[in-house]
Coordinates of all heavy atoms in Angstrom, one line a residue:
E165 N 86.1 94.4 102.5 CA 86.1 95.6 103.3 C 87.6 95.8 103.8 O 88.2 94.8 104.2 CB 85.2 95.3 104.5 CG 85.0 96.5 105.4 CD 84.8 97.8 104.7 OE1 83.9 97.9 103.9 OE2 85.6 98.7 104.9
F166 N 88.0 97.0 103.9 CA 89.4 97.3 104.3 C 89.5 98.1 105.6 O 90.5 98.6 105.9 CB 90.1 98.1 103.2 CG 90.1 97.3 101.8 CD1 89.2 97.6 100.8 CD2 91.0 96.3 101.6 CE1 89.2 96.9 99.6 CE2 91.0 95.5 100.5 CZ 90.1 95.9 99.5
L167 N 88.4 98.2 106.3 CA 88.4 99.0 107.5 C 89.3 98.3 108.6 O 89.5 97.1 108.6 CB 87.0 99.2 108.1 CG 86.1 98.0 108.5 CD1 86.5 97.5 109.9 CD2 84.7 98.4 108.5
R168 N 89.8 99.2 109.5 CA 90.6 98.7 110.6 C 89.9 98.9 111.9 O 89.2 99.9 112.0 CB 91.9 99.5 110.7 CG 92.9 99.3 109.6 CD 93.9 100.4 109.6 NE 93.2 101.7 109.4 CZ 93.8 102.9 109.5 NH1 95.0 103.0 110.0 NH2 93.1 104.0 109.3
E169 N 90.0 97.9 112.8 CA 89.4 98.1 114.1 C 90.0 99.3 114.8 O 91.2 99.6 114.6 CB 89.7 96.9 115.0 CG 88.9 95.7 114.5 CD 89.1 94.4 115.3 OE1 89.5 94.6 116.5 OE2 88.8 93.3 114.8
K221 N 91.7 91.4 98.5 CA 91.7 91.5 99.9 C 92.8 90.7 100.6 O 93.5 91.3 101.5 CB 90.3 91.0 100.4 CG 90.2 90.8 101.9 CD 90.2 92.2 102.6 CE 90.3 92.0 104.1 NZ 90.0 93.2 104.9
N225 N 96.1 92.5 102.7 CA 96.5 92.2 104.1 C 97.8 91.5 104.1 O 98.6 91.8 105.0 CB 95.4 91.2 104.7 CG 94.3 92.0 105.3 OD1 94.3 93.3 105.2 ND2 93.3 91.4 106.0
L228 N 100.5 94.2 103.7 CA 100.7 95.0 105.0 C 101.4 94.2 106.1 O 102.3 94.7 106.7 CB 99.3 95.5 105.5 CG 98.6 96.5 104.6 CD1 97.2 96.7 105.0 CD2 99.4 97.8 104.6
I232 N 105.1 95.1 107.8 CA 105.4 95.1 109.3 C 106.5 94.2 109.6 O 107.4 94.5 110.4 CB 104.1 94.8 110.1 CG1 103.0 95.8 109.8 CG2 104.4 94.6 111.6 CD1 101.6 95.3 110.3
F266 N 102.4 101.7 108.2 CA 102.6 100.2 108.5 C 104.1 99.9 108.5 O 104.5 98.8 108.1 CB 101.8 99.3 107.6 CG 100.4 99.2 108.1 CD1 99.6 100.3 108.2 CD2 99.9 98.0 108.6 CE1 98.3 100.2 108.7 CE2 98.6 97.9 109.2 CZ 97.8 99.0 109.2
L267 N 104.9 100.8 108.9 CA 106.4 100.6 109.1 C 106.8 100.9 110.5 O 107.9 101.3 110.8 CB 107.1 101.5 108.1 CG 107.3 101.1 106.7 CD1 108.2 102.1 105.9 CD2 108.0 99.7 106.6
Q268 N 105.8 100.7 111.4 CA 106.1 100.8 112.8 C 106.6 99.5 113.4 O 105.7 98.6 113.5 CB 104.9 101.4 113.5 CG 105.0 101.5 115.0 CD 105.9 102.6 115.5 OE1 105.8 103.7 115.1 NE2 106.8 102.2 116.4
Y273 N 102.7 91.5 114.4 CA 101.3 91.8 114.2 C 100.4 90.8 114.8 O 100.7 89.6 114.9 CB 101.0 92.0 112.7 CG 101.3 90.7 111.8 CD1 100.4 89.7 111.8 CD2 102.4 90.6 111.0 CE1 100.6 88.5 111.0 CE2 102.6 89.5 110.2 CZ 101.7 88.5 110.3 OH 101.9 87.3 109.5
G274 N 99.2 91.2 115.2 CA 98.2 90.3 115.8 C 96.9 90.7 115.2 O 96.8 91.3 114.1
C277 N 92.7 89.6 111.8 CA 92.8 89.5 110.3 C 94.1 89.1 109.8 O 94.2 88.1 109.1 CB 92.4 90.9 109.7 SG 90.8 91.4 110.3
F278 N 95.2 89.8 110.0 CA 96.5 89.5 109.4 C 96.9 88.0 109.7 O 97.2 87.3 108.7 CB 97.6 90.4 109.9 CG 97.4 91.8 109.3 CD1 98.2 92.8 109.8 CD2 96.6 92.1 108.3 CE1 98.2 94.1 109.3 CE2 96.5 93.4 107.8 CZ 97.3 94.4 108.3
D281 N 94.3 85.7 107.8 CA 94.3 85.9 106.3 C 95.6 85.4 105.6 O 95.5 84.9 104.5 CB 93.9 87.3 106.0 CG 92.5 87.7 106.4 OD1 91.7 86.7 106.7 OD2 92.2 88.9 106.4
F337 N 95.3 93.8 121.0 CA 96.3 93.6 119.9 C 96.7 95.0 119.3 O 97.7 95.1 118.6 CB 95.7 92.6 118.8 CG 94.8 93.2 117.8 CD1 95.3 93.7 116.6 CD2 93.5 93.3 118.0 CE1 94.5 94.2 115.6 CE2 92.6 93.9 117.0 CZ 93.1 94.3 115.8
K338 N 95.9 96.0 119.5 CA 96.2 97.4 119.1 C 95.3 98.3 119.9 O 94.4 97.8 120.6 CB 95.9 97.5 117.6 CG 94.4 97.4 117.2 CD 94.2 97.5 115.7 CE 94.1 98.9 115.3 NZ 93.6 99.0 113.9
R429 N 106.6 99.2 121.9 CA 105.9 100.0 120.8 C 106.6 101.3 120.6 O 106.1 102.2 119.9 CB 104.5 100.2 121.2 CG 103.6 99.0 121.3 CD 103.3 98.4 120.0 NE 102.4 97.3 120.1 CZ 101.8 96.7 119.0 NH1 102.1 97.1 117.8 NH2 101.0 95.7 119.2
Ligands
UGA515 C1 93.7 95.0 109.2 C2 93.9 95.9 108.0 O1 94.7 97.0 108.3 C3 92.5 96.4 107.4 O2 92.7 97.1 106.2 C4 91.6 95.2 107.1 O3 90.3 95.6 106.7 C5 91.5 94.3 108.4 O4 92.8 93.9 108.9 C6 90.6 93.2 108.0 O5 91.0 92.3 107.2 O6 89.5 93.1 108.5 P1 93.2 95.4 111.8 O7 93.5 94.0 112.0 O8 91.9 96.0 112.4 O9 93.1 95.8 110.2 O10 94.4 96.3 112.4 P2 95.7 96.9 111.9 O11 95.7 98.4 112.2 O12 96.0 96.6 110.5 O13 96.8 96.2 112.8 C7 97.1 94.8 112.7 C8 98.3 94.5 113.5 O14 99.5 95.0 113.0 C9 98.3 95.0 115.0 O15 98.7 94.0 115.9 C10 99.2 96.2 114.9 O16 99.8 96.5 116.2 C11 100.2 95.7 113.9 N1 101.0 96.8 113.3 C12 100.3 97.7 112.5 C13 102.3 97.0 113.5 O17 103.0 96.2 114.3 N2 103.0 98.0 112.9 C14 102.4 98.9 112.1 O18 103.1 99.8 111.5 C15 101.0 98.7 111.8

Side-chain angles (χ1 to χ4, degrees):
E165 183 47 54
F166 301 100
L167 61 81
R168 289 162 301 166
E169 290 181 20
K221 171 69 189 192
N225 273 3
L228 293 168
I232 296 166
F266 279 65
L267 276 184
Q268 171 72 50
Y273 62 77
C277 303
F278 289 169
D281 292 347
F337 85 93
K338 62 183 277 190
R429 297 291 187 169

